[in-house]
Amino acid sequence: MEGWSKIAPNLFVWNYVTNFNFPTVPHPDIQPLGPDLRFFVDHHVVGVFEQGDEQNILAGDMLPLRVWLLSKLMWDPSQDQDKLIDEFCNGYFGAAGPFMRQYVEAVNAPAKDPKFRANCFNQDLKYLSNDLLADCNGLFDSAESAVRDQPAELSRVRRERLVLESLQLQQEDLPKEIERMKKQIADPTAAAKTVVNDYETRARDWASRAILAGMISHNYTQPTEQAAEGIIKRGRKLIPATQPTH
């Protein structure tokens, strides 16, 4: 960019601002949005196309915030990005705004490490640690409680929580849960079925809510309906095969 700006007075940029492999996973790239645009302005960029998650409708990685924030910053990159995020969270989520603001800060905190790298096709999700997800769930609990009597704001909070629910379902240690259940149910097949059936009930509930909320594409290659089947049924292989009786 610096080299091109020395020989070209009018540059156009096509920028990626999502994780195309996992558009429904928190991607810590919000902090650079404003600085990047200011860098473009300082280097003769006169047009920018910010390509984000174009497949999902509302339900994804804080999509309403991302669209609103980018629109504001592209109109005037000199604006204070933190104040804009505060304005959006308080206006869009109402009394839940402070907790949702903390959530945005929490999932983007890994990118503050100068050594952190996560490009637009990132597949390394180690930054989404169990501790971070636990903290985020606590924030969502507080957010939901703050707007429990405000249906519009409550539905917005719950829609944003869908990405965390998806991650937790996929990271749930079903073999460990089955071993724990065996201490209560001696029959290993019955214990496995109990755990797997409970998991599938919760996974199906998540999938139906996610699809209704507008989560069309779960990842770069799979629609949510297709991906959800794999998530729902992933525990079935853990149920011991029934031995034939003679």
Side-chain angles (χ1 to χ4, degrees), residues 101-126:
R101 180 66 175 92
Q102 291 178 62
Y103 166 71
V104 173
E105 184 69 20
V107 294
N108 282 274
K112 293 182 178 180
D113 182 348
K115 298 180 181 179
F116 180 82
R117 295 292 183 273
N119 63 30
C120 61
F121 286 98
N122 177 58
Q123 298 191 59
D124 183 359
L125 303 180
K126 288 196 296 291

Side-chain angles (χ1 to χ4, degrees), residues 1 29 49 65 83 100 131 162 169 171 220 223-224 226:
M1 176 69 70
D29 71 338
F49 173 45
L65 167 63
K83 289 182 178 179
M100 297 304 294
D131 287 343
L162 289 168
L169 287 167
Q171 294 180 356
Y220 192 59
T224 300
Q226 180 181 345

Side-chain angles (χ1 to χ4, degrees), residues 28-42:
D29 71 338
I30 284 183
Q31 188 277 331
L33 296 180
D36 282 354
L37 285 168
R38 288 190 287 276
F39 178 83
F40 296 157
V41 169
D42 292 340

Side-chain angles (χ1 to χ4, degrees), residues 177-179 181-196:
E177 292 300 318
I178 291 171
E179 289 303 313
M181 184 58 65
K182 286 179 182 178
K183 297 178 181 178
Q184 303 176 39
I185 302 175
D187 181 5
T189 298
K193 285 183 176 180
T194 298
V195 170
V196 172

Side-chain angles (χ1 to χ4, degrees), residues 39-203:
F39 178 83
F40 296 157
V41 169
D42 292 340
H43 291 82
H44 300 168
V45 173
V46 296
V48 178
F49 173 45
E50 301 276 26
Q51 183 177 351
D53 179 1
E54 79 280 9
Q55 299 186 59
N56 291 310
I57 302 171
L58 294 177
D61 181 17
M62 294 293 289
L63 299 184
L65 167 63
R66 287 175 173 275
V67 171
W68 186 88
L69 181 62
L70 280 169
S71 298
K72 289 286 187 178
L73 290 172
M74 290 173 73
W75 188 261
D76 180 4
S78 70
Q79 294 184 87
D80 187 312
Q81 179 168 308
D82 286 333
K83 289 182 178 179
L84 287 175
I85 296 174
D86 290 343
E87 179 184 345
F88 177 89
C89 287
N90 291 327
Y92 192 69
F93 297 111
F99 304 108
M100 297 304 294
R101 180 66 175 92
Q102 291 178 62
Y103 166 71
V104 173
E105 184 69 20
V107 294
N108 282 274
K112 293 182 178 180
D113 182 348
K115 298 180 181 179
F116 180 82
R117 295 292 183 273
N119 63 30
C120 61
F121 286 98
N122 177 58
Q123 298 191 59
D124 183 359
L125 303 180
K126 288 196 296 291
Y127 63 90
L128 295 169
S129 66
N130 290 334
D131 287 343
L132 174 58
L133 295 181
D135 290 343
C136 290
N137 273 304
L139 291 170
F140 270 103
D141 287 343
S142 298
E144 288 191 25
S145 179
V147 291
R148 194 160 300 281
D149 298 323
Q150 301 169 36
E153 288 79 4
L154 180 59
S155 68
R156 293 168 183 168
V157 171
R158 287 177 171 171
R159 186 186 64 227
E160 299 301 341
R161 193 170 194 165
L162 289 168
V163 298
L164 288 185
E165 292 182 68
S166 172
L167 279 169
Q168 287 183 294
L169 287 167
Q170 294 174 83
Q171 294 180 356
E172 191 165 332
D173 192 341
L174 295 179
K176 185 176 180 180
E177 292 300 318
I178 291 171
E179 289 303 313
R180 185 179 291 118
M181 184 58 65
K182 286 179 182 178
K183 297 178 181 178
Q184 303 176 39
I185 302 175
D187 181 5
T189 298
K193 285 183 176 180
T194 298
V195 170
V196 172
N197 288 342
D198 172 72
Y199 168 83
E200 289 195 5
T201 298
R202 290 182 285 110

